[in-house]
Amino acid sequence: AVRHLEQLNAVPTAIVGDGDSISEENRVKYAKFLVNLDKSEEYNDLTKAFNYCEANGFHTVAIVGGCGLREDHTLANISLLMGYAERFEVIMVTNYGIFTPILKTHTFQSHQGDAVSVFSFTPKTHLTFHGLKYPVNNRCFNHLWEGSLNEALADEFTVELHDEGRILVYQAFK
């Protein structure tokens, strides 16, 4: 991550994780930013970063670069979003769009024709979609794919939860 930040001419304010992939040169160069290097294998680096954020009073978080250049990293980090949503206002920005976990009814800004997918991590949660091309009315999704590949009809849409639930909304960039 540090190498990528350098390519963007960005300077970190903190480097958190296990430190296993930082070069010795960057370890020396960014020594004052190395905080909370945790060698434990119990949690991944993203969870360690969220623990750091919580301990330092950050409650609104945008994850950038969370896909890790491998599909298994991507899936692991996306799956963690639902747990983070209980303690943070969080989004994950990828090269292709934005993932937003929600725990209650939420209205999203959009544009007509934007690609939208809704994934339910709680199959007993009844959902209704407002402002999306393919209507859903008080329906539960038993499989992750069932709410995918939809489309915004206007400048906003709403995912309504009729029960408690853990829902992940994906909005693709144009």
Side-chain angles (χ1 to χ4, degrees):
V2 172
R3 286 190 316 270
H4 295 297
L5 283 175
E6 286 182 325
Q7 292 171 357
L8 298 170
N9 292 321
V11 178
T13 56
I15 299 173
V16 179
D18 58 20
D20 66 347
S21 61
I22 190 168
S23 70
E24 190 56 39
E25 176 185 344
N26 282 335
R27 188 180 295 274
V28 171
K29 183 177 180 179
Y30 295 104
K32 69 180 181 180
F33 302 111
L34 295 171
V35 298
N36 202 32
L37 291 186
D38 179 351
K39 297 287 186 191
S40 76
E41 298 293 325
E42 195 169 332
Y43 303 103
N44 71 355
D45 285 346
L46 186 59
T47 298
K48 293 171 186 176
F50 268 88
N51 291 341
Y52 171 84
C53 288
E54 188 168 46
N56 287 277
F58 299 106
H59 299 286
T60 302
V61 178
I63 302 166
V64 179
C67 293
L69 304 178
R70 286 180 22 195
E71 287 82 3
D72 56 338
H73 285 213
T74 302
L75 184 58
N77 287 339
I78 290 170
S79 72
L80 288 169
L81 287 175
M82 296 314 312
Y84 300 146
E86 296 169 1
R87 301 182 342 244
F88 297 90
E89 182 180 326
V90 60
I91 61 170
M92 179 183 278
V93 182
T94 72
N95 291 345
Y96 305 104
I98 299 174
F99 286 98
T100 305
I102 61 171
L103 305 174
K104 60 184 179 184
T105 298
H106 189 88
T107 298
F108 293 85
Q109 298 303 306
S110 62
H111 299 93
Q112 182 177 2
D114 283 357
V116 174
S117 289
V118 179
F119 303 99
S120 177
F121 285 77
T122 46
K124 294 184 188 290
T125 301
H126 291 81
L127 300 171
T128 297
F129 299 165
H130 305 277
L132 294 178
K133 182 175 182 179
Y134 303 110
V136 167
N137 188 17
N138 199 25
R139 181 172 163 211
C140 297
F141 294 142
N142 293 312
H143 306 282
L144 286 178
W145 63 265
E146 290 180 89
S148 65
L149 307 175
N150 214 320
E151 187 177 308
L153 295 176
D155 61 355
E156 69 178 28
F157 66 91
T158 299
V159 177
E160 181 181 352
L161 282 67
H162 299 274
D163 318 291
E164 286 188 16
R166 296 162 46 116
I167 308 301
L168 187 62
V169 177
Y170 177 75
Q171 295 174 267
F173 296 138
K174 284 206 175 214

